Amino acid sequence: MGERETERPMQKTSPRVFVLCAPSGTGKTTVVRALLERARGQIFFSVSATTRPARPLERDGVDYFFLTSEEFQTWIERGDFLEHAEVYGYCYGTPGRPVLEALEQGRPVLLDIDWQGACQVRRNLPETVVTLLLLPPSREELERRLRGRRTEEQDQIQRRLREAQQEIRNYRRFDYVIVNQDIERTVTQIRAIMDQSGEMPCAPLPDLDRRVAELLGDRPPG
Ligand code: ADP
Ligand code: 5GP
């Protein structure tokens, strides 16, 4: 992945691929739904494939393509994925063809994937990708949201909280970092970044290092 937005080349061509990452439970899915509702079909949202079992209200082909491990392996061997990674013990991947077709049609693309996938997409589509990291307001609030969703068993919740640290530790690699305190405000901020094709001069979050240290439970710097 490239570095902060000031270090990216200034000349970029639209349309763009916007990669949204967040520790599990931050509110990424909620934010994506709100973004897509507002965009009324203008944004292409990529439906990923996964080996994770479907949650009660999830629909195959809408929320994810739910695959067996063998099917997922076949998709890899056929070269169907733009990127794929193991996340929280399951396989996840972005089908490549729909993304490339959307870009050819001139539509901005939104990917809800993890940081490993973001690195691969950055490599595979250089000059096209804008990366955004959503952070929770605090560790306590992240845990509250994750538990409040009631979709994971205790061991998955613990695993997700542990591995959330990895997503957060990589914060310097993202073009934009946004704290998801209020959904409406978060959606407005992301919309503004997308409307500017990622060229919006975005003031760095005040006290970002300290916030991240708190989220990680590290001693704050300085
Ligand atoms: P993710 O996709 O990042 O794992 P979800 O979108 O499933 O997270 O959200 C996790 C829980 O947090 C859900 O119950 C959701 O309603 C809630 N939530 C999301 N964003 C906010 C917010 N800004 N403030 C309060 N609760 C939120
Ligand atoms: P969940 O199981 O909560 O839906 O998603 C778990 C994590 O997997 C989230 O961080 C989500 O962004 C990530 N994820 C979803 N789809 C993909 C994908 O296609 N590729 C990668 N690398 N990660 C994904």
Side-chain angles (χ1 to χ4, degrees), residues 1-4 115 119 122 131 170-175:
M1 229 186 300
E3 300 305 320
R4 314 282 307 166
W115 66 275
C119 293
R122 178 80 98 187
T131 54
N170 281 300
Y171 74 101
R172 285 185 183 280
R173 295 182 171 202
F174 288 84
D175 298 320

Side-chain angles (χ1 to χ4, degrees), residues 22-31 141 144-146 148-149 180-183:
S24 182
T26 301
K28 193 167 43 155
T29 308
T30 311
V31 165
E141 177 62 11
R144 198 185 66 73
R145 288 183 191 174
L146 196 49
R149 192 170 67 187
N180 179 28
Q181 184 103 44
D182 171 77
I183 294 172

